[in-house]
Amino acid sequence: MSRVPVPCHVKGTVTLQVGDVRTSQGRPGVLVIDVTFPSVSPFELQEITFKNYYTAFLSIRVRQHASTHSPAKWVTCLRDYCLMPDPHSEEGAQEYVSLFKHQMLCDMTRVLELRLILRQPSPLWLSFTVEELQIYQQGPKSPSMTFPKWLSHPVPCEQPIPLLEGLPDPSRVSSEVQQMWALTEMIRASNTSTRIGRFDVDGCYDLNLLSYT
Amino acid sequence: MLQEESDLSLIIAQIVQKLKGSNLYAQLERQAWGSWEKRILKSLNSMCTELSIPLARKRPVGEQKELLNKWNEMGTDEPDLSLFRPVYAPKDFLEVLINLRNPNYENGDSLSFRTHLGLIQVPLKVKDIPELKECFAELGLNTGQLGIDDSTQVPPELFENEHVRIGQKVLAEQDSAAAQQYIRQGSPTALRAELWALILNISSQPEDILYYEQLKMNVIQHDLLVDSLIYKDVKLTASNDDYYFVFEDYLYQVLLCFSRDTSVLGHFAYNSASPPKSYIRGKLGLEEYAVFYPPNGVIPFHGFSMYVAPLCFLYHEPYKLYQIFREMYVRFFFRLHSISSHPSGIVSLCLLFETLLQTYLPQLFYHLREIGAQPLRISFKWMVRAFSGYLATDQLLLLWDRILGYNSLEILAVLAAAVFAFRAVNLMEVTSLAAAEAVLADLSTLKVMPLLQIFLFATVT
């Protein structure tokens, strides 16, 4: 399904913490990232992609119009989505993630604003965030094609012509020819990068030193 | 050389400041590995310039003929290798792994619950014993094993005969997945060669024999510096080993051809390392004259030939031995000498070993640490070589059966911990690293499967 990136403005992260940030010993475990769409009218969100950086859990809230004329409200569309199965270890810490609209708890139509709530309960990591955030909406649908009549209504099979003496079965030949044609098409289409085993250049493999670059 | 490694953390910290929020984890892998690779390249280049030997040259026709004649007895050659030295040894590699740091990880200077007490400081996820029990379920006490239930005291009707019969059936069906499941309980000696070939998908077609002959021709035509390193390694390790010295000639035939095999370059697609590059003499910087060196991209280190030696017991035709070794290398062995976060990579294996020891033998771990004998310093060389050269060959082959069966190298870390558990009483009495090494110097009498079974399933935790 085609998708179109939506230009968005990602505000800086805001840490949520009880008490004074300067004096408290611990690290904030919750961050909030606001995403606004200043130049775009309310749209239907298709996909969110980002690169994780040591965030353990992600919640997303969306501000949307419930129906065309009602005022906009904040709704939670993703709750505590787990990005790192073990918050203390590296697994999942730097993965690329895609979230689709069918994974969301609510309908993602008429989206005005997004708020990402990142949580990292482990004190082991110095910082955490998400990077390369991209929002996508649905692209234009591909033009519907009308199938030619003979494709959608195949002609019923005719009686097979009687085999001539000594000649192979025509349906078998035709299927074999089709297979060969498919193979040649595949080979032509694929850019084969398989090496043929040569490591020298025109028979010469005189080397002096290794290169550092 | 050590200065380079301690500068590494500083360099990483500086880069963190500059490139905050960029691809640091992969950069950590690349940075650590890049610095290590550069050191290897420097070592090889300095050997070239010191000894005035080119990296590669074409052999004159007379020399080609001579080599062809003594292809089957290259072991009788006694070239002067005294000036060559191995590019690196496992202990150098261990130093690199010890200095791996994640810049986003809170290490702190003071000891806290966050500090790893072992040598590895990277917080990768490793399995604990309950998870290992689930993973290696077929090694449990209620399942028959070769290596335990085929000993002389156990009547063969109880397990062994039936197991052999099933093995023959699996081979008759040529079912690779079934073979992999079957071999988790060990392989009968008579069926092992065929079973491994079935699991590794090696079937010797005429084109494979032809391919090997082509590699042999490449060896005859071009002489590489790496060849001398291979010679030296074989002479230092396999030739000195009571079990493997008879296979010396086979080792040359396999390893020299392995260096010329460009199909091995394919494994760099899933290996974080990259093959060293060079340029044809006189064409420095011109991309059309850039080549990989050695042609397979793998520079052998001290002990590399031990990956091949045990296979010589199973396969006697050079081309078959070669194919099996190449497949084992690109599936398993390359992970033992490259840095990655893969669960079977050497970093994860080291961390798994240390975590198992610390969790289930805390007194022993603490004691060894106090006397300055970090356990990983002793077990690292076992794991890097997949225990080849340390265990008796029949035991080693039973261990490698399980590597193939479970498609994972984690069993090496578990065995290393099991060995420490077995010799714990003696180890508690030693007072120095040298004494600890002495207690664990000889593993040739150990029986692998009982050790694994007891450690995983029969230890009271």
Side-chain angles (χ1 to χ4, degrees):
Chain A
M1 194 167 302
S2 63
R3 58 182 197 184
V4 169
V6 179
C8 56
H9 173 65
V10 179
K11 290 203 191 139
T13 59
V14 175
T15 64
L16 301 182
Q17 198 168 358
V18 175
D20 195 349
V21 178
R22 277 187 303 273
T23 55
S24 70
Q25 292 274 340
R27 241 169 239 121
V30 186
L31 286 183
V32 176
I33 300 181
D34 274 318
V35 184
T36 53
F37 307 96
S39 48
V40 180
S41 57
F43 64 96
E44 180 173 354
L45 188 137
Q46 176 83 354
E47 191 181 342
I48 302 176
T49 59
F50 58 86
K51 183 176 180 305
N52 187 15
Y53 187 75
Y54 293 97
T55 307
F57 301 101
L58 175 67
S59 302
I60 303 183
R61 301 200 87 208
V62 62
R63 189 158 78 93
Q64 60 176 170
H65 291 296
S67 66
T68 335
H69 298 294
S70 64
K73 288 201 310 187
W74 281 103
V75 183
T76 302
C77 62
L78 195 66
R79 183 167 293 145
D80 278 342
Y81 184 73
C82 178
L83 296 170
M84 286 168 66
D86 177 8
H88 296 300
S89 78
E90 294 272 356
E91 200 181 335
Q94 299 205 20
E95 285 188 349
Y96 288 90
V97 181
S98 276
L99 296 167
F100 297 93
K101 74 174 183 200
H102 63 78
Q103 291 173 269
M104 305 294 180
L105 294 168
C106 67
D107 192 3
M108 296 299 280
T109 51
R110 294 177 288 267
V111 168
L112 285 167
E113 216 182 315
L114 280 180
R115 181 168 283 169
L116 279 75
I117 302 165
L118 285 63
R119 291 201 302 118
Q120 175 49 275
S122 167
L124 291 175
W125 310 109
L126 296 174
S127 71
F128 64 97
T129 181
V130 296
E131 300 159 352
E132 297 171 31
L133 192 57
Q134 283 271 30
I135 316 288
Y136 294 93
Q137 66 178 344
Q138 186 144 28
K141 280 202 176 57
S142 47
S144 63
M145 291 196 294
T146 50
F147 287 111
K149 189 151 170 256
W150 55 269
L151 253 187
S152 44
H153 300 289
V155 182
C157 263
E158 303 153 348
Q159 282 290 325
I161 16 178
L163 276 174
L164 297 170
E165 288 289 332
L167 287 179
D169 176 18
S171 52
R172 231 190 77 207
V173 170
S174 77
S175 77
E176 277 172 16
V177 169
Q178 273 180 34
Q179 280 173 25
M180 282 204 307
W181 174 85
L183 271 176
T184 53
E185 281 298 303
M186 255 172 54
I187 292 176
R188 193 161 7 131
S190 72
N191 270 336
T192 174
S193 58
T194 49
R195 308 180 143 266
I196 29 176
R198 303 275 309 277
F199 57 81
D200 51 332
V201 178
D202 295 333
C204 174
Y205 195 65
D206 285 336
L207 307 173
N208 258 344
L209 290 175
L210 293 170
S211 157
Y212 292 124
T213 47
Chain B
M1 284 303 169
L2 276 171
Q3 182 68 6
E4 244 177 75
E5 263 67 72
S6 61
D7 281 349
L8 183 60
S9 312
L10 189 59
I11 294 170
I12 289 182
Q14 285 170 350
I15 294 180
V16 171
Q17 305 256 345
K18 282 187 210 163
L19 305 169
K20 197 123 182 131
S22 69
N23 193 357
L24 271 163
Y25 182 62
Q27 187 147 358
L28 165 77
E29 272 187 18
R30 268 184 271 130
Q31 177 84 5
W33 186 244
S35 154
W36 168 242
E37 260 178 358
K38 219 170 192 161
R39 179 176 151 181
I40 297 178
L41 299 185
K42 273 197 182 136
S43 177
L44 209 51
N45 276 347
S46 64
M47 214 187 302
C48 278
T49 42
E50 277 170 34
L51 303 175
S52 309
I53 295 176
L55 278 181
R57 63 174 182 101
K58 193 150 184 152
R59 272 189 236 270
V61 177
E63 199 182 315
Q64 288 188 23
K65 279 212 180 77
E66 202 190 319
L67 186 57
L68 193 55
N69 283 339
K70 58 172 172 57
W71 178 256
N72 289 325
E73 33 177 64
M74 282 186 276
T76 54
D77 226 3
E78 294 281 346
D80 180 20
L81 298 168
S82 53
L83 294 170
F84 289 98
R85 50 184 192 277
V87 182
Y88 66 95
K91 63 174 165 40
D92 306 315
F93 188 49
L94 179 59
E95 290 302 319
V96 176
L97 296 187
I98 291 173
N99 286 307
L100 277 180
R101 293 285 182 278
N102 183 337
N104 195 33
Y105 187 68
E106 164 79 79
N107 258 328
D109 292 320
S110 57
L111 233 54
S112 72
F113 71 90
R114 301 153 192 187
T115 325
H116 285 222
L117 291 172
L119 291 174
I120 302 291
Q121 299 290 326
V122 183
L124 294 170
K125 179 103 178 78
V126 290
K127 298 189 169 82
D128 56 1
I129 286 196
E131 288 171 319
L132 288 168
K133 271 200 225 187
E134 214 182 293
C135 179
F136 295 114
E138 291 86 353
L139 300 183
L141 296 164
N142 291 331
T143 318
Q145 301 291 327
L146 286 183
I148 300 176
D149 300 293
D150 56 337
S151 67
T152 39
Q153 299 99 336
V154 179
E157 303 85 56
L158 277 184
F159 167 70
E160 201 180 347
N161 287 350
E162 181 64 18
H163 192 64
V164 174
R165 204 186 60 80
I166 299 177
Q168 285 161 340
K169 190 147 177 251
V170 165
L171 280 174
E173 302 279 318
Q174 285 289 293
D175 188 340
S176 182
Q180 197 171 347
Q181 180 66 31
Y182 168 80
I183 211 174
R184 291 178 179 188
Q185 293 171 266
S187 162
T189 317
L191 305 177
R192 183 174 277 130
E194 284 181 58
L195 275 172
W196 282 23
L198 181 56
I199 295 172
L200 295 169
N201 288 323
I202 307 282
S203 58
S204 292
Q205 308 287 337
E207 51 260 28
D208 302 315
I209 305 176
L210 222 57
Y211 190 76
Y212 177 75
E213 291 297 319
Q214 184 187 333
L215 291 175
K216 181 173 156 187
M217 275 304 116
N218 287 338
V219 176
I220 304 282
Q221 285 173 347
H222 296 273
D223 180 29
L224 304 183
L225 177 68
V226 169
D227 293 349
S228 306
L229 295 175
I230 292 174
Y231 270 110
K232 179 120 190 179
D233 186 46
V234 173
K235 293 277 182 211
L236 282 178
T237 54
S239 300
N240 281 335
D241 192 304
D242 292 333
Y243 294 113
Y244 301 123
F245 71 92
V246 290
F247 299 122
E248 192 182 337
D249 298 322
Y250 277 125
L251 295 177
Y252 296 125
Q253 292 176 23
V254 166
L255 287 168
L256 293 179
C257 291
F258 181 63
S259 298
R260 270 61 166 191
D261 194 348
T262 50
S263 69
V264 176
L265 291 170
H267 93 283
F268 286 105
Y270 47 88
N271 184 355
S272 61
S274 45
K277 237 170 73 166
S278 181
Y279 293 93
I280 300 287
R281 195 196 304 254
K283 311 278 187 203
L284 187 63
L286 296 174
E287 276 316 305
E288 334 54 282
Y289 292 95
V291 288
F292 292 123
Y293 182 85
N296 71 345
V298 179
I299 296 187
F301 56 90
H302 178 66
F304 193 85
S305 53
M306 295 307 282
Y307 289 142
V308 190
L311 303 173
C312 298
F313 278 106
L314 299 173
Y315 303 98
H316 306 295
E317 297 112 338
Y319 66 87
K320 190 91 190 240
L321 177 61
Y322 176 76
Q323 277 183 295
I324 297 275
F325 166 65
R326 180 180 60 183
E327 190 62 30
M328 293 276 285
Y329 181 82
V330 299
R331 272 199 208 192
F332 304 114
F333 296 145
F334 79 94
R335 297 201 193 276
L336 295 172
H337 66 93
S338 44
I339 300 179
S340 88
S341 53
H342 194 271
S344 272
I346 189 70
V347 187
S348 301
L349 294 184
C350 289
L351 191 59
L352 176 59
F353 164 74
E354 289 189 319
T355 313
L356 284 176
L357 213 57
Q358 193 177 344
T359 315
Y360 300 100
L361 295 158
Q363 261 192 315
L364 176 63
F365 189 85
Y366 182 75
H367 170 72
L368 288 173
R369 226 178 138 251
E370 286 294 293
I371 61 172
Q374 278 274 8
L376 187 59
R377 290 204 187 274
I378 304 174
S379 65
F380 185 71
K381 53 187 184 295
W382 303 338
M383 292 193 285
V384 164
R385 279 208 206 158
F387 283 89
S388 172
Y390 296 105
L391 295 173
T393 36
D394 60 327
Q395 297 300 312
L396 182 73
L397 292 173
L398 286 169
L399 180 67
W400 285 16
D401 281 342
R402 272 64 178 198
I403 293 181
L404 282 168
Y406 290 102
N407 201 29
S408 145
L409 293 164
E410 285 161 317
I411 199 139
L412 297 176
V414 180
L415 180 61
V419 170
F420 271 72
F422 184 60
R423 300 232 169 125
V425 173
N426 291 0
L427 285 170
M428 285 302 290
E429 298 186 6
V430 299
T431 50
S432 71
L433 174 59
E437 298 249 21
V439 168
L440 294 165
D442 184 10
L443 305 182
S444 55
T445 51
L446 292 182
K447 298 269 175 270
V448 158
M449 299 317 300
L451 278 183
L452 284 170
Q453 217 178 44
I454 293 175
F455 185 76
L456 283 176
F457 295 95
T459 308
V460 176
T461 47

